[in-house]
Amino acid sequence: MEIVFVVAIAENGVIGAAGAIPWRLKADMQRFKALTVGKPVIMGRKTFESLRRPLPGRTNIVVTRDAAYRAAGAVVATSAEDAGAVARGDALRRSAAEIAVIGGAEIYRQWIDRADRLEITEVHARPEGDAHFEIDRARWEEISRLRHPAGPDDSADFSYVTYRRRPRH
């Protein structure tokens, strides 16, 4: 079962600003849905709260240190290990071959050593932000790239880039 990160990253490594995404890419929202629907999705509490509702068609797994936290429409886990166990069970029940990790920055840090593939939207902009993600090119090999000009509902040009983990030595 593959662990797949789905993340949009600006050219300066920014993935978020003040709890929000600092760009608008309608086409990327459609790709995000296509990459995650029918799969368990793992996210942090702040990411879940920024969505304002559970993502439909997916098992929403929210990781938080707060054991008393409740999230309507989501499963709450207090550790990466617990979230992984819930996600694996859900993926098996759904016959899903992947678990999607969708942020934010702290969750990506916790899961990076378990990730098999990165599905990145490179946003060709340099916004200010307080959440970042950097790809260690020594650990990840780019296997595909498709550049798109900004459409009428997009605030920047963007590229879809897929990375696979390089073999571990």
Side-chain angles (χ1 to χ4, degrees), residues 20-80:
I21 298 171
W23 52 76
R24 176 166 164 67
L25 296 177
K26 186 172 184 180
D28 188 49
M29 299 310 329
Q30 295 163 344
R31 179 175 185 257
F32 174 85
K33 182 177 182 181
L35 287 169
T36 61
V37 79
K39 300 171 187 165
V41 292
I42 296 173
M43 69 193 92
R45 177 191 54 79
K46 290 185 265 186
T47 297
F48 179 76
E49 290 175 356
S50 76
L51 298 173
R52 296 189 295 275
R53 64 180 176 87
L55 295 170
R58 291 150 273 205
T59 300
N60 291 243
I61 303 165
V62 180
V63 182
T64 177
R65 292 180 201 90
D66 181 356
Y69 184 77
R70 297 293 172 259
V75 177
V76 176
T78 56
S79 69

Side-chain angles (χ1 to χ4, degrees), residues 135-155:
I135 297 170
D136 180 351
R137 310 278 177 185
R139 296 175 70 190
W140 296 95
E141 178 181 9
E142 182 178 317
I143 59 172
S144 71
R145 172 180 293 269
L146 187 57
R147 188 172 175 109
H148 296 273
D153 295 317
D154 301 326
S155 62

Side-chain angles (χ1 to χ4, degrees), residues 10-14 22-23 123-129 156:
E11 291 173 344
N12 57 356
V14 167
W23 52 76
V123 181
H124 301 300
R126 302 181 76 75
E128 294 294 317

Side-chain angles (χ1 to χ4, degrees), residues 64-138:
T64 177
R65 292 180 201 90
D66 181 356
Y69 184 77
R70 297 293 172 259
V75 177
V76 176
T78 56
S79 69
E81 292 72 27
D82 289 347
V86 170
R88 280 188 296 282
D90 182 69
L92 290 170
R93 278 189 298 283
R94 291 175 175 267
S95 297
E98 299 172 352
I99 296 167
V101 177
I102 64 169
E106 179 60 29
I107 298 301
Y108 291 132
R109 276 191 286 281
Q110 290 175 12
W111 281 82
I112 192 65
D113 290 335
R114 302 170 201 191
D116 300 295
R117 193 173 84 237
L118 308 178
E119 291 293 345
I120 305 297
T121 300
E122 282 185 2
V123 181
H124 301 300
R126 302 181 76 75
E128 294 294 317
D130 53 17
H132 297 83
F133 186 98
E134 300 295 332
I135 297 170
D136 180 351
R137 310 278 177 185

